[in-house]
Structures are given as C-alpha cells and as structure tokens.
Amino acid sequence: MMIHRDSVKVLDVQSASLQNYIHSSEKQKALYKRTLFVVSISQIFGGAGLAAGVTVGALLAQQMLGTDAYAGLPSALLTLGSAGAALFVGRLSQRYGRRAGLTAGFMTGGLGAIGVILAAIMNSVFLLFTSLLVYGAGSATNLQARYAGTDLANGKQRATAISMTMVFTTFGAVAGPNLVNVMGDFALSIGVPSLAGPFILGAASYILAGLVLFFMLRPDPLVIARTIESTNQERSDKGVLSTIEHTENKRGIIVGATIMVLTQIVMVAIMTMTPVHMMHHGHGLGAVGLVIGFHIGAMYLPSLVTGFLVDKLGRMAMSIASGTTLLLAGLFAAFAPGDSMVLMVIALSLLGLGWNFGLISGTALIVDSTETSTRAKTQGTVDVLIALSGAAGGALSGLIVAGSSYSTLSLVGGILSLLLIPVVKWSQGGKNNTL
C-alpha cells in the first residue's frame, strides 16, 4: 500500500512539472535553450566518436585480414548498423522520449567500440565485423540528435536549432582524426594494437555523450512538446481542417525525405571516388587529406548561416540552392584538370555546402510536417533511408568510375541534383505555407 501511494505521489509531481511548462512560455523558452546546450555538448563527444573510428576502420580490417579485398567492409557494416539503429532510436524515442532513445543509441555505439578493441586484441575477424555493425549505432544517434533541439522550437527557429547542433559536431569530428596517432601510442602503452587506439577514444566519446544526455536532458523536450500539443488539440475543434493538415503533412514528409536522400546520394558518390581520382593524377595523401578536410568543413561549418537562411528564406528556396550548388560541384569536379588542387578544393567544398543546404532544409521540413505523436518514429525512418541512400551512392560510384570515368560520375551526380527542382515544384502544389 505504501509503494502504491509513493507511486501516485511521483506521478502527481511529474504531472505538476509538465503543467508548469504547458502554461509558461518562459519556461518553454528556457528549456529550449537548455536542450540546445545539452545536445550540442553531446554532439562534440559524438562527433569525436564517429570520426575517430571511421578513420582507421578500413586499416584495421586490412591488417587483420592481410588483404585489401575486404577493406571496404567496415564502411558498409557501419552504414548497415547505422540504418538499423536509426529505426531503433527513432522508435525508442517515440515511446519513451529523446533522453531514452539517444542515450541508448550512444551507449550501444560505445559497446560496439569496446567490441572492436577486444577483436583487435583477440585477432577475431568475426568479432570485429559484428562490433562494427553495433558501432554504427553511434553514427545514427549522432545524426538523430539534431532533431532533439527542434522539439520545442517554433517554426522560425527550427533550422537554426538543427544547424547549431551540426556546428558542434564539427569540433568532435575534427578532433577525432587528429588524435589518431596519440591514441595509437596510448593503445600500445597498455598492450593493445595501435589501430585499436582510436576506438578507445570512440568508446569513451560515445559513452560520455550518452551520459551527458541521460543526466542533463531533463525534462525530456519531446515529452513536453507532446504534452503541449495534446493540450492544444483538446482545446481546438478540428473537423475537416484535420484531414487537410494530415494530407499536407504527408506531402512535407515526402519532400523533406527526398531532398535529404538525393543530396546524400550525390555527396557520398562524388566524395567516395575523389581520393581515388586524385591518387591516379599523382596527388599524395597529404593533398587528398587537404581536399577532404575542406569538404568536411563545408559540410558542417556553414550550418549556423544555413539555418538562419532556411528559417528566413524558406525551406524550398534553400532546397533549390542545394540542387544548384551540387550541380556546380559536379561540373567543377567533372571538368577540372586532375592535377589542379585549387579546382578540386572548390569542387569538394561546393559538394559539402550543397549537402549542408539540403540536410538542414530537408530536416526542417520533416519537423514542420510531423506531429509530436509520431515525429520521432518518422524521423528514424527517414534517417534509415538517408543511411541506405549513402551506401547505395558509395557502391554505385565505384561501378560508374570503373565503367566510365570520374568525370562521368560527377556529371551524373550534378544532373541528379537537378531533380530537387521538380520536387520543389511538386511540393508547391500543396497549400502548406511552411513549405
């Protein structure tokens, strides 16, 4: 009987806490800012975990297998694991809130990294591949965390909220690869193979990201947003308007997902084969690293400006800007002389910038077009499509270059990005002003 009374008291306290946020716009604003801060901190750790492991995954597989033939498997396994985890994290977040979903995703990624370390110590290829699959949960969670900051944002803040978390991801993503040698030396000092060193950083980073969210993401922004929306719905009489809004929401989800999938395919396809193309034209690893560094910088660093533009100019305007920028990237990559570092830097920077425009505008559209009762589940499903489209882009890029050339790949990518324009035109057939 005492346990039952205690449970009732806890529920009453939680209900009172929710009511405080429902009826106070000031508390909602404060929680929105706090959520952005907490998610941004977790993204620094998450970015480090992602980049550190990805940097040496192929090298570790190559070393353990003694051949280059399967060196691409780590990337494929990470992508496959990411796709499955995106669905899992999305559904878990939908049922229990962002805190539960994101914490579980990062912790799972951390366990995967520990598995990779053990695989290197035991020289177990099976454990390595299994662990890399689990490790992919970290990258999926890192991507889905961008949604958490939008739960309490209004329509004019959502893209800015998305972009802020992406900027903080950059700090970790840049630090991770730069610590590869340091972590390799540390691994050797404790009797672990040097290539497993970055996964020590990956494990610590993912687990820390999960702990930050578990202890600091309180109250849960999605739970609060869902309660506010439910209260507002009870106060309004929807009738026929509900059917119209539901149709328009479905259109927005399709458009947002298409934008992100197309930009992901184009970006991954051209980026994947650029190092191979450069090496064939006499560039060294330093030059390749410089070009890819500019590319990654362009993917994330412009985010704050992009978020502002998406909120001010509109989702569709920036989606067209994404397609145009990706077309320019494809043209530069296709027609630039293979020995021109400057033009390759421009091409890959434009490629990253076009992806940035597409991801932020598409993500904002998904948030605009979903209700809190189904939002996290839908976002997880969309991120599965993004992960799989990236895998497809990477796989097809090699086939196109092998059958034709890098120039053909770049032109195909540029032309494919133009499909964003008819997608935008189709979206404008609806009457949803948020589009």
Side-chain angles (χ1 to χ4, degrees):
M1 190 66 170
M2 183 63 68
I3 294 175
H4 174 70
R5 287 178 179 175
D6 289 343
S7 299
V8 171
K9 286 180 181 179
V10 170
L11 290 173
D12 287 342
V13 170
Q14 290 177 340
S15 177
S17 176
L18 290 176
Q19 291 298 320
N20 287 337
Y21 284 97
I22 292 171
H23 300 296
S24 174
S25 59
E26 290 302 316
K27 283 201 169 189
Q28 291 174 25
K29 291 178 183 177
L31 182 58
Y32 163 68
K33 292 179 181 178
R34 173 180 166 79
T35 299
L36 276 183
F37 173 76
V38 172
V39 172
S40 296
I41 296 300
S42 74
Q43 288 294 83
I44 295 175
F45 292 121
L50 169 67
V54 170
T55 304
V56 297
L59 296 176
L60 184 59
Q62 180 188 48
Q63 183 184 78
M64 291 177 67
L65 292 168
T67 175
D68 293 345
Y70 303 105
L73 267 179
S75 178
L77 290 169
L78 284 170
T79 301
L80 186 59
S82 174
L87 195 63
F88 166 73
V89 172
R91 291 179 183 272
L92 194 63
S93 298
Q94 187 63 57
R95 186 165 184 177
Y96 299 107
R98 297 288 185 196
R99 176 171 164 263
L102 296 177
T103 298
F106 275 128
M107 290 298 186
T108 302
L111 289 175
I114 293 172
V116 172
I117 298 165
L118 293 174
I121 294 172
M122 299 164 59
N123 198 33
S124 170
V125 174
F126 175 76
L127 180 58
L128 172 67
F129 288 165
T130 303
S131 299
L132 285 170
L133 196 66
V134 177
Y135 183 69
S139 63
T141 309
N142 209 53
L143 187 61
Q144 281 211 27
R146 75 192 190 280
Y147 289 115
T150 66
D151 288 326
L152 292 170
N154 61 45
K156 296 181 179 179
Q157 296 174 318
R158 287 166 180 162
T160 303
I162 296 161
S163 63
M164 186 173 294
T165 58
M166 288 180 63
V167 167
F168 277 89
T169 303
T170 312
F171 298 140
V174 170
N178 287 323
L179 292 173
V180 166
N181 289 334
V182 174
M183 293 307 300
D185 292 340
F186 173 73
L188 286 174
S189 70
I190 59 173
V192 175
S194 62
L195 287 178
F199 286 95
I200 297 175
L201 175 62
S205 297
Y206 278 158
I207 291 171
L208 282 172
L211 291 175
V212 166
L213 292 166
F214 180 77
F215 287 110
M216 298 180 67
L217 200 62
R218 300 168 183 261
D220 193 289
L222 183 59
V223 173
I224 296 294
R226 189 183 300 157
T227 306
I228 292 170
E229 185 176 278
S230 177
T231 302
N232 291 338
Q233 285 177 347
E234 289 174 2
R235 293 172 180 171
S236 63
D237 181 18
K238 288 199 166 184
V240 177
L241 181 61
S242 177
T243 304
I244 295 173
E245 286 179 348
H246 182 69
T247 302
E248 291 172 345
N249 285 343
K250 287 180 67 176
R251 183 186 291 266
I253 292 168
I254 293 170
V255 173
T258 303
I259 290 168
M260 289 190 282
V261 165
L262 281 175
T263 53
Q264 185 79 357
I265 290 173
V266 174
M267 186 277 289
V268 172
I270 297 176
M271 178 197 68
T272 298
M273 296 310 297
T274 295
V276 177
H277 172 69
M278 292 182 66
M279 295 290 280
H280 286 166
H281 286 82
H283 294 285
L285 286 176
V288 171
L290 181 65
V291 170
I292 298 300
F294 271 97
H295 169 68
I296 294 174
M299 286 174 65
Y300 292 101
L301 286 178
S303 292
L304 280 180
V305 176
T306 303
F308 174 80
L309 292 174
V310 171
D311 281 333
K312 292 297 180 182
L313 301 180
R315 282 60 164 145
M316 293 300 97
M318 292 306 294
S319 297
I320 292 175
S322 172
T324 304
T325 306
L326 289 172
L327 173 62
L328 289 174
L331 292 174
F332 267 98
F335 295 111
D339 58 354
S340 175
M341 268 289 294
V342 173
L343 290 180
M344 291 307 299
V345 165
I346 293 173
L348 269 291
S349 296
L350 287 171
L351 187 68
L353 185 62
W355 176 87
N356 179 272
F357 289 168
L359 184 73
I360 294 179
S361 56
T363 301
L365 264 172
I366 296 294
V367 177
D368 291 342
S369 305
T370 50
E371 296 181 354
T372 55
S373 58
T374 58
R375 180 171 296 160
K377 180 180 176 182
T378 302
Q379 290 164 343
T381 302
V382 170
D383 279 2
V384 170
L385 295 176
I386 294 172
L388 294 177
S389 64
L396 291 174
S397 65
L399 295 175
I400 293 173
V401 171
S404 182
S405 66
Y406 177 78
S407 295
T408 300
L409 171 69
S410 300
L411 282 175
V412 169
I415 293 170
L416 184 62
S417 66
L418 290 179
L419 288 176
L420 290 175
I421 296 176
V423 169
V424 168
K425 292 296 182 184
W426 177 76
S427 73
Q428 292 172 340
K431 298 180 180 179
N432 190 344
N433 292 331
T434 63
L435 298 184

